[in-house]
Amino acid sequence: MTDRKQTIVTSVRPTGRSTGRPKSEEKRQAILAAAGYCFMGIGFTASMDQIAAKAGVSKQTLYSHFKNKDVLFQAIVSDKVDGYFADIESTQLHGNVTDRLHQVGKHILELMSDPQVGAMLRSVASQADVMPQVSDNFWIAGPGRMSGLVKNIFVKDGLSPNEASDRAWSFVYALAGPLMLSNALHQSNPIKNQATHLKQTVTRFA
């Protein structure tokens, strides 16, 4: 797993030194790191005051970047997914439907293997009843975005949008369901050969 994908909580830390990025972007990344630390450690009861203190910024600066905790959490999820999918969203997938499903599927498995994703899943599940907007935001920024990428592949292959959506969700669950569940529950991955699993799943849906 590459360093660029460890974007939230562990690798981004508030510092007083310039890294060549605009200060506003440095502060945004510091806030995301602090919020990830607080949400995964304290839970969604973590206050904006606590997040601002952890990030080393004022509350005014925090609110200038994120208007509330819901928006902040969605940004954390989006940044995590960006680390795995931004490159394939910004470039044209190549090859036939099998090749394109394999490219996207590889990224899905990498994302679902990320321990921070497991932590997010546990945090979201614990708050789903009392803070449904948290799970809504997670669903949009995470699973919804993944299935959307797969849906586009099936639409370009000739399926209607509704058919493509159903097939995309089936593909995502068939491919990543066991890994997602085991990651969320702190269990070892039941799929011992992910390359073979990916190939077999793509063959079923291509």
Side-chain angles (χ1 to χ4, degrees):
M1 199 169 295
T2 59
D3 290 341
R4 72 180 177 84
K5 292 173 181 174
Q6 298 298 327
T7 54
I8 301 300
V9 183
T10 58
S11 67
V12 180
R13 289 287 183 260
T15 68
R17 295 179 297 172
S18 173
T19 59
R21 295 178 300 183
K23 287 185 177 180
S24 61
E25 177 60 19
E26 287 184 1
K27 289 180 178 179
R28 179 180 184 276
Q29 292 300 320
I31 292 167
L32 289 173
Y37 180 89
C38 290
F39 286 150
M40 304 313 156
I42 302 171
F44 288 99
T45 57
S47 69
M48 294 294 263
D49 283 324
Q50 289 172 307
I51 294 168
K54 184 68 179 177
V57 301
S58 67
K59 278 186 67 176
Q60 181 178 359
T61 297
L62 174 55
Y63 279 108
S64 71
H65 286 275
F66 305 100
K67 66 180 182 179
N68 56 47
K69 285 197 290 186
D70 291 348
V71 172
L72 181 50
F73 180 72
Q74 189 166 14
I76 291 173
V77 178
S78 294
D79 269 32
K80 171 58 69 177
V81 177
D82 278 345
Y84 291 91
F85 290 100
D87 56 343
I88 61 173
E89 286 179 325
S90 61
T91 59
Q92 186 70 34
L93 291 172
H94 58 273
N96 57 28
V97 64
T98 298
D99 295 332
R100 286 177 279 145
L101 284 175
H102 191 277
Q103 292 171 63
V104 174
K106 183 174 181 291
H107 287 268
I108 290 174
L109 288 176
E110 289 176 347
L111 176 64
M112 288 296 101
S113 298
D114 192 319
Q116 292 176 9
V117 172
M120 288 180 186
L121 287 167
R122 290 188 294 274
S123 296
V124 170
S126 70
Q127 298 295 320
D129 289 335
V130 295
M131 298 179 69
Q133 72 276 12
V134 171
S135 58
D136 290 345
N137 290 341
F138 181 85
W139 187 260
I140 292 167
R145 187 169 167 189
M146 285 191 297
S147 69
L149 280 167
V150 180
K151 174 185 174 180
N152 290 339
I153 293 173
F154 289 133
V155 167
K156 289 179 181 178
D157 197 48
L159 292 184
S160 71
N162 286 340
E163 290 175 319
S165 180
D166 289 347
R167 195 164 182 80
W169 280 112
S170 295
F171 174 82
V172 170
Y173 277 105
L175 178 65
L179 180 54
M180 178 175 62
L181 185 60
S182 62
N183 193 5
L185 296 177
H186 283 306
Q187 300 298 310
S188 59
N189 180 9
I191 305 299
K192 301 308 178 186
N193 190 322
Q194 289 197 171
T196 299
H197 174 60
L198 173 58
K199 183 178 180 180
Q200 291 173 341
T201 306
V202 168
T203 299
R204 285 173 55 195
F205 287 87

